[in-house]
Amino acid sequence: MYILGVPRYANTAPLYHFLEEGDGLAFRYGVPTELNRWLLEGSVDLSLVSSYFYLQNADQLRPLPDFSVADLGPVYSVNLFHRKPWSELKRIALTTESATSVRLLQYLLEADGLEAHYTPEQGGLELLERYDGVLLIGDRAITTYFGLLSIIPESVHQVPTQVEGIRITDLSMRWFEQTRLPFVFAVWATRKNAPPPPEIVRRLRAARSLGLGNLAAVAGTEAQRLNVPERLMQHYLWNFRYHLEAPDRLGLQAFAQAVELPYPDDYWDV
């Protein structure tokens, strides 16, 4: 049985919503930090992994050539929630689910000459009683953000960055303002000694085509799961880039340089 590592996040649903288990394929769900570990230890065969984790372990991992979870500009689900201004942040609670978003936050603060103390914590906005900021990602970030909104804006240009004294800094948007490049949050990767079976890759590509071609159906399922409006979920999902195209690879290369890791530019030919 070939084991696929999958994060159960709305933003990855278009990749596997129409992918069926069976015929030699099974899913194993986990948060990104778990999937990273499982892939390296060999308990999953092919997995979405954090881009930072991939860059750290590029001597052992190799990505598929045309899959990513990336975006250009705001991502809406990798957010620092804070009351103090960005320039006054000293104590920050971090999600324990993702390595990439944590390293991105650290880089962005360091780039502005800021030094903060970071503490891994599980929780939500209640952490703002003890910290200057709290970093949330994925479904938790989306539902937290939605919980702050009194109405769903008609235009993306009306999405607020401050609600009831809570500032929302979208880390991907801040990355874009600095680099004018996409930010790649995750890639599909295998271990270098375990090439991906072409038939599995074909099924992944077919599932992605169906997912993007039927985004309303995917958004409807995910909106119901998270109890948020379908219109909000549709906008959220159509914002992503799932094909690791040339601009995304440039973004991944820029992130590698920013965090002082090598960028191998080495992908499976499949």
Side-chain angles (χ1 to χ4, degrees):
M1 185 67 70
Y2 198 78
I3 307 298
L4 195 69
V6 179
R8 199 187 290 276
Y9 286 158
N11 60 9
T12 60
L15 294 173
Y16 58 77
H17 181 88
F18 291 97
L19 184 63
E20 296 184 357
E21 293 184 87
D23 293 330
L25 180 67
F27 294 175
R28 186 178 183 187
Y29 291 98
V31 299
T33 47
E34 292 175 323
L35 297 174
N36 295 342
R37 186 177 71 252
W38 293 341
L39 180 62
L40 214 54
E41 71 186 20
S43 58
V44 299
D45 298 301
L46 168 64
S47 181
L48 274 170
V49 293
S50 304
S51 57
Y52 181 59
F53 181 83
Y54 155 62
L55 292 169
Q56 285 180 305
N57 296 278
D59 60 328
Q60 300 178 68
L61 302 177
R62 182 174 290 154
L64 300 186
D66 58 338
F67 283 90
S68 60
V69 180
D71 77 286
L72 180 63
V75 66
Y76 304 114
S77 63
V78 180
N79 293 330
L80 184 71
F81 296 87
H82 52 109
R83 295 188 188 278
K84 290 184 177 180
W86 176 268
S87 60
E88 297 177 13
L89 296 173
K90 298 293 185 186
R91 302 180 67 251
I92 297 175
L94 298 175
T95 174
T96 57
E97 296 180 8
S98 167
T100 297
S101 58
V102 169
R103 190 63 187 94
L104 176 59
L105 172 64
Q106 291 170 334
Y107 164 72
L108 291 171
L109 287 169
E110 291 165 4
D112 287 340
L114 303 174
E115 294 184 7
H117 179 73
Y118 305 98
T119 304
E121 288 268 15
Q122 292 190 10
L125 294 184
E126 74 279 2
L127 293 172
L128 291 178
E129 295 177 5
R130 294 186 286 125
Y131 293 93
D132 298 333
V134 54
L135 175 64
L136 301 178
I137 71 160
D139 293 350
R140 182 184 288 270
I142 279 291
T143 54
T144 299
Y145 200 173
F146 172 66
L148 292 172
L149 300 176
S150 57
I151 60 171
I152 304 299
E154 286 289 327
S155 164
V156 295
H157 300 288
Q158 298 168 338
V159 175
T161 56
Q162 183 168 338
V163 183
E164 297 179 358
I166 298 178
R167 302 165 193 258
I168 303 101
T169 296
D170 188 308
L171 299 194
S172 184
M173 184 62 191
R174 206 162 181 101
W175 168 263
F176 170 74
E177 290 169 345
Q178 288 196 5
T179 66
R180 294 297 188 260
L181 289 170
F183 190 83
V184 178
F185 288 95
V187 294
W188 285 111
T190 74
R191 296 178 300 285
K192 276 189 174 179
N193 62 0
E199 173 58 20
I200 295 295
V201 178
R202 187 196 65 77
R203 289 170 66 178
L204 284 172
R205 287 174 175 146
R208 178 182 57 192
S209 294
L210 283 170
L212 296 181
N214 297 275
L215 202 58
V218 180
T221 299
E222 293 304 307
Q224 186 173 27
R225 183 175 67 83
L226 297 182
N227 193 28
V228 300
E230 189 169 331
R231 183 162 64 88
L232 181 145
M233 184 57 67
Q234 283 186 6
H235 172 75
Y236 174 53
L237 293 185
W238 74 47
N239 194 46
F240 283 92
R241 301 169 60 87
Y242 292 108
H243 292 81
L244 196 61
E245 296 173 283
D248 308 299
R249 292 190 181 194
L250 288 174
L252 184 59
Q253 181 177 18
F255 182 55
Q257 292 171 344
V259 297
E260 299 180 343
L261 288 171
Y263 172 67
D265 196 19
D266 178 27
Y267 301 92
W268 289 113
D269 182 15
V270 64

